Coordinates of all heavy atoms in Angstrom, one line a residue:
C284 N -132.7 0.0 -135.4 CA -131.9 -0.3 -134.2 C -131.4 0.9 -133.5 O -130.6 0.7 -132.5 CB -130.8 -1.2 -134.6 SG -131.3 -2.8 -135.2
G285 N -131.8 2.1 -133.8 CA -131.4 3.3 -133.1 C -130.3 4.1 -133.7 O -130.0 5.2 -133.2
W286 N -129.7 3.7 -134.9 CA -128.8 4.5 -135.6 C -129.5 5.7 -136.2 O -130.7 5.6 -136.5 CB -128.1 3.8 -136.7 CG -127.1 2.8 -136.3 CD1 -127.3 1.6 -135.6 CD2 -125.7 2.9 -136.4 NE1 -126.1 1.0 -135.4 CE2 -125.1 1.7 -135.9 CE3 -124.8 3.9 -137.0 CZ2 -123.7 1.5 -135.8 CZ3 -123.5 3.6 -137.0 CH2 -122.9 2.5 -136.4
T287 N -128.8 6.9 -136.3 CA -129.4 8.0 -136.9 C -128.5 8.6 -138.0 O -127.3 8.3 -138.0 CB -129.7 9.2 -135.8 OG1 -128.4 9.5 -135.2 CG2 -130.7 8.7 -134.8
D288 N -129.1 9.3 -138.9 CA -128.4 10.0 -140.0 C -127.5 9.0 -140.7 O -126.4 9.3 -141.0 CB -127.6 11.2 -139.4 CG -127.2 12.2 -140.5 OD1 -127.9 12.1 -141.6 OD2 -126.3 12.9 -140.4
V289 N -128.0 7.9 -141.0 CA -127.3 6.8 -141.8 C -127.4 7.2 -143.2 O -128.5 7.4 -143.8 CB -127.8 5.4 -141.5 CG1 -127.0 4.4 -142.2 CG2 -127.9 5.2 -140.0
H290 N -126.2 7.2 -143.9 CA -126.2 7.5 -145.3 C -125.0 6.8 -146.0 O -124.0 6.5 -145.4 CB -126.2 9.0 -145.5 CG -125.0 9.7 -144.9 ND1 -125.0 10.0 -143.5 CD2 -123.8 10.1 -145.3 CE1 -123.9 10.6 -143.2 NE2 -123.1 10.6 -144.3
L291 N -125.2 6.7 -147.3 CA -124.1 6.1 -148.1 C -123.2 7.2 -148.6 O -123.6 8.2 -149.2 CB -124.8 5.4 -149.3 CG -123.9 4.6 -150.2 CD1 -123.2 3.4 -149.5 CD2 -124.7 4.0 -151.4
Q292 N -121.9 7.0 -148.3 CA -120.9 8.0 -148.8 C -120.5 7.6 -150.2 O -120.7 6.6 -150.7 CB -119.7 7.9 -147.8 CG -119.9 8.4 -146.4 CD -120.0 9.8 -146.4 OE1 -121.1 10.4 -146.4 NE2 -118.9 10.5 -146.2
D293 N -119.8 8.6 -150.8 CA -119.3 8.4 -152.2 C -118.3 7.2 -152.3 O -118.1 6.6 -153.3 CB -118.6 9.7 -152.7 CG -119.6 10.8 -152.9 OD1 -120.8 10.5 -153.1 OD2 -119.2 12.0 -152.9
D294 N -117.7 6.9 -151.1 CA -116.7 5.8 -151.1 C -117.3 4.5 -151.0 O -116.7 3.4 -151.0 CB -115.6 6.0 -150.0 CG -116.2 6.0 -148.6 OD1 -117.4 5.7 -148.5 OD2 -115.5 6.2 -147.7
G295 N -118.7 4.4 -150.9 CA -119.4 3.2 -150.9 C -119.7 2.7 -149.5 O -120.3 1.6 -149.3
H296 N -119.2 3.4 -148.5 CA -119.4 2.9 -147.1 C -120.6 3.6 -146.5 O -120.9 4.8 -146.8 CB -118.2 3.3 -146.2 CG -117.0 2.4 -146.5 ND1 -116.0 2.8 -147.4 CD2 -116.6 1.2 -146.0 CE1 -115.1 1.9 -147.5 NE2 -115.4 0.9 -146.7
L297 N -121.2 3.0 -145.6 CA -122.3 3.6 -144.8 C -121.8 4.2 -143.6 O -121.0 3.6 -142.8 CB -123.4 2.5 -144.4 CG -124.3 2.0 -145.5 CD1 -125.2 0.9 -144.9 CD2 -125.0 3.0 -146.2
Y298 N -122.2 5.4 -143.3 CA -121.8 6.2 -142.2 C -123.1 6.6 -141.4 O -124.2 6.7 -142.0 CB -121.1 7.5 -142.5 CG -119.7 7.3 -143.0 CD1 -119.4 6.8 -144.3 CD2 -118.6 7.5 -142.1 CE1 -118.1 6.6 -144.7 CE2 -117.3 7.2 -142.5 CZ -117.1 6.8 -143.8 OH -115.8 6.6 -144.2
G299 N -123.0 6.7 -140.1 CA -124.1 7.1 -139.3 C -123.7 7.3 -137.9 O -122.6 7.0 -137.5
K300 N -124.7 7.7 -137.1 CA -124.4 7.9 -135.6 C -125.0 6.7 -134.9 O -126.2 6.4 -135.0 CB -125.1 9.2 -135.1 CG -124.5 10.5 -135.7 CD -125.3 11.7 -135.2 CE -124.7 12.9 -135.8 NZ -125.5 14.1 -135.3
P301 N -124.1 6.0 -134.2 CA -124.6 4.8 -133.4 C -125.6 5.2 -132.4 O -125.6 6.4 -132.0 CB -123.3 4.2 -132.8 CG -122.2 4.8 -133.6 CD -122.7 6.1 -134.1
P302 N -126.4 4.3 -131.9 CA -127.3 4.6 -130.8 C -126.6 5.3 -129.6 O -125.6 4.9 -129.2 CB -127.9 3.3 -130.4 CG -127.7 2.4 -131.6 CD -126.5 2.9 -132.2
K303 N -127.2 6.3 -129.1 CA -126.8 7.1 -127.9 C -125.4 7.7 -128.1 O -124.7 8.0 -127.1 CB -126.8 6.1 -126.7 CG -128.1 5.6 -126.4 CD -128.0 4.6 -125.2 CE -129.4 4.0 -125.0 NZ -129.4 3.0 -124.0
E304 N -124.9 7.9 -129.3 CA -123.6 8.6 -129.6 C -123.9 9.8 -130.4 O -124.9 10.0 -131.0 CB -122.7 7.6 -130.3 CG -122.4 6.3 -129.6 CD -121.6 6.5 -128.3 OE1 -121.0 7.6 -128.1 OE2 -121.6 5.6 -127.5
H305 N -122.9 10.7 -130.3 CA -123.0 12.0 -131.1 C -121.9 12.1 -132.2 O -121.7 13.2 -132.7 CB -122.8 13.2 -130.1 CG -123.9 13.1 -129.0 ND1 -125.2 13.5 -129.3 CD2 -123.9 12.8 -127.7 CE1 -125.9 13.4 -128.2 NE2 -125.2 13.0 -127.2
Y306 N -121.3 11.0 -132.5 CA -120.2 11.0 -133.5 C -120.6 10.1 -134.7 O -121.5 9.2 -134.5 CB -118.9 10.6 -132.9 CG -118.9 9.1 -132.4 CD1 -118.7 8.1 -133.2 CD2 -119.3 8.9 -131.1 CE1 -118.7 6.7 -132.8 CE2 -119.3 7.6 -130.6 CZ -119.1 6.5 -131.5 OH -119.1 5.2 -131.0
Y307 N -120.1 10.4 -135.8 CA -120.3 9.5 -137.0 C -119.4 8.3 -136.9 O -118.2 8.5 -136.5 CB -120.1 10.3 -138.3 CG -121.3 11.2 -138.6 CD1 -121.4 12.5 -138.1 CD2 -122.4 10.6 -139.3 CE1 -122.5 13.3 -138.4 CE2 -123.5 11.4 -139.6 CZ -123.6 12.7 -139.1 OH -124.6 13.5 -139.4
S308 N -119.8 7.2 -137.4 CA -119.0 6.0 -137.5 C -119.2 5.4 -138.9 O -120.3 5.3 -139.4 CB -119.5 5.0 -136.4 OG -118.8 3.8 -136.6
P309 N -118.1 4.8 -139.4 CA -118.2 4.1 -140.7 C -118.5 2.6 -140.4 O -118.5 1.8 -141.3 CB -116.8 4.2 -141.3 CG -115.9 4.3 -140.1 CD -116.7 5.0 -139.0
N310 N -118.9 2.3 -139.2 CA -119.1 0.9 -138.8 C -120.5 0.5 -138.6 O -120.9 -0.2 -137.7 CB -118.3 0.6 -137.4 CG -116.9 0.8 -137.6 OD1 -116.3 0.5 -138.6 ND2 -116.3 1.4 -136.6
V311 N -121.4 0.9 -139.6 CA -122.8 0.5 -139.6 C -122.7 -1.0 -139.9 O -122.1 -1.5 -140.8 CB -123.5 1.2 -140.7 CG1 -125.0 0.7 -140.8 CG2 -123.5 2.8 -140.5
P312 N -123.4 -1.8 -139.0 CA -123.3 -3.2 -139.2 C -123.8 -3.7 -140.5 O -124.7 -3.1 -141.2 CB -124.3 -3.7 -138.1 CG -124.3 -2.6 -137.1 CD -124.2 -1.4 -137.8
S313 N -123.2 -4.8 -140.9 CA -123.5 -5.5 -142.2 C -124.6 -6.5 -142.0 O -124.4 -7.7 -142.0 CB -122.3 -6.1 -142.8 OG -121.3 -5.1 -143.1
Y314 N -125.8 -6.0 -141.7 CA -126.9 -6.9 -141.3 C -127.2 -8.0 -142.3 O -127.5 -9.1 -141.8 CB -128.2 -6.1 -141.1 CG -128.1 -5.0 -140.0 CD1 -127.9 -3.7 -140.3 CD2 -128.1 -5.4 -138.7 CE1 -127.8 -2.7 -139.3 CE2 -128.0 -4.5 -137.6 CZ -127.8 -3.1 -138.0 OH -127.7 -2.2 -137.0
L315 N -127.0 -7.8 -143.5 CA -127.3 -8.8 -144.5 C -126.3 -9.9 -144.7 O -126.6 -10.9 -145.3 CB -127.5 -8.1 -145.9 CG -128.7 -7.2 -145.9 CD1 -128.4 -5.9 -146.4 CD2 -129.9 -7.9 -146.7
S316 N -125.1 -9.8 -144.0 CA -124.1 -10.8 -144.1 C -123.5 -11.2 -142.8 O -122.6 -12.0 -142.8 CB -123.0 -10.3 -145.1 OG -122.4 -9.2 -144.6
D317 N -123.9 -10.6 -141.7 CA -123.3 -10.8 -140.4 C -124.4 -11.3 -139.4 O -125.2 -10.6 -139.0 CB -122.7 -9.5 -139.9 CG -121.9 -9.7 -138.6 OD1 -122.1 -10.7 -137.9 OD2 -121.2 -8.7 -138.3
L318 N -124.3 -12.6 -139.1 CA -125.2 -13.2 -138.1 C -125.2 -12.5 -136.7 O -126.2 -12.3 -136.1 CB -125.0 -14.7 -137.9 CG -125.6 -15.6 -139.0 CD1 -125.1 -17.0 -138.8 CD2 -127.1 -15.5 -139.0
N319 N -124.0 -12.0 -136.3 CA -123.9 -11.3 -135.1 C -124.6 -10.0 -135.1 O -125.3 -9.6 -134.1 CB -122.4 -11.1 -134.7 CG -121.7 -12.4 -134.3 OD1 -122.3 -13.3 -133.7 ND2 -120.5 -12.5 -134.7
A320 N -124.5 -9.3 -136.2 CA -125.3 -8.1 -136.4 C -126.8 -8.3 -136.3 O -127.5 -7.5 -135.6 CB -124.9 -7.4 -137.7
M321 N -127.2 -9.4 -136.9 CA -128.7 -9.6 -136.9 C -129.1 -10.1 -135.5 O -130.2 -9.8 -135.1 CB -129.0 -10.7 -137.9 CG -129.2 -10.1 -139.3 SD -130.3 -8.7 -139.4 CE -131.8 -9.2 -138.7
H322 N -128.2 -10.8 -134.8 CA -128.5 -11.1 -133.4 C -128.8 -9.9 -132.6 O -129.7 -9.8 -131.8 CB -127.4 -12.0 -132.8 CG -127.6 -12.3 -131.4 ND1 -128.6 -13.2 -131.0 CD2 -127.0 -11.9 -130.3 CE1 -128.6 -13.3 -129.7 NE2 -127.6 -12.6 -129.2
E323 N -127.9 -8.9 -132.7 CA -128.1 -7.6 -132.0 C -129.4 -6.9 -132.5 O -130.1 -6.4 -131.6 CB -126.9 -6.7 -132.2 CG -125.7 -7.2 -131.5 CD -125.8 -7.4 -130.0 OE1 -126.4 -6.5 -129.4 OE2 -125.5 -8.4 -129.5
A324 N -129.7 -7.0 -133.8 CA -130.9 -6.3 -134.3 C -132.2 -7.0 -133.7 O -133.1 -6.3 -133.3 CB -131.0 -6.4 -135.8
E325 N -132.1 -8.3 -133.6 CA -133.3 -9.1 -133.0 C -133.6 -8.6 -131.6 O -134.8 -8.7 -131.2 CB -133.0 -10.6 -133.1 CG -133.0 -11.1 -134.5 CD -132.3 -12.5 -134.6 OE1 -131.7 -12.9 -133.6 OE2 -132.4 -13.1 -135.7
K326 N -132.7 -8.1 -130.9 CA -132.9 -7.7 -129.5 C -133.8 -6.5 -129.4 O -134.3 -6.2 -128.3 CB -131.6 -7.4 -128.8 CG -130.7 -8.6 -128.6 CD -129.4 -8.3 -128.0 CE -128.5 -9.4 -127.7 NZ -127.2 -9.1 -127.1
V327 N -134.0 -5.7 -130.5 CA -134.9 -4.6 -130.4 C -136.4 -4.9 -130.6 O -137.2 -4.1 -130.4 CB -134.5 -3.5 -131.4 CG1 -133.0 -3.1 -131.3 CG2 -134.8 -3.8 -132.8
L328 N -136.6 -6.2 -131.0 CA -138.0 -6.6 -131.2 C -138.7 -6.8 -129.9 O -138.2 -7.4 -129.0 CB -138.0 -7.9 -132.1 CG -137.4 -7.8 -133.5 CD1 -137.4 -9.1 -134.1 CD2 -138.2 -6.8 -134.3
T329 N -140.0 -6.4 -129.9 CA -140.9 -6.7 -128.7 C -141.3 -8.1 -128.8 O -141.1 -8.8 -129.8 CB -142.1 -5.8 -128.7 OG1 -142.9 -6.1 -129.9 CG2 -141.7 -4.3 -128.8
D330 N -141.9 -8.6 -127.7 CA -142.4 -10.0 -127.7 C -143.4 -10.2 -128.9 O -143.3 -11.3 -129.5 CB -143.1 -10.3 -126.4 CG -142.1 -10.5 -125.3 OD1 -140.9 -10.6 -125.5 OD2 -142.5 -10.4 -124.1
D331 N -144.3 -9.3 -129.1 CA -145.3 -9.5 -130.2 C -144.5 -9.5 -131.6 O -144.9 -10.2 -132.5 CB -146.3 -8.4 -130.2 CG -147.3 -8.5 -129.1 OD1 -147.4 -9.7 -128.6 OD2 -148.0 -7.5 -128.7

């Protein structure tokens, strides 16, 4: 979905750089438990 440098921190949180941003965020979406996050992810899919 365009995040970069996503990694698991020692505190158990995922950190990474959101699309088109240059800062790190601890707000990597919880795709496996959040329907809204998956809705956003589905938007990156091509028609095929």
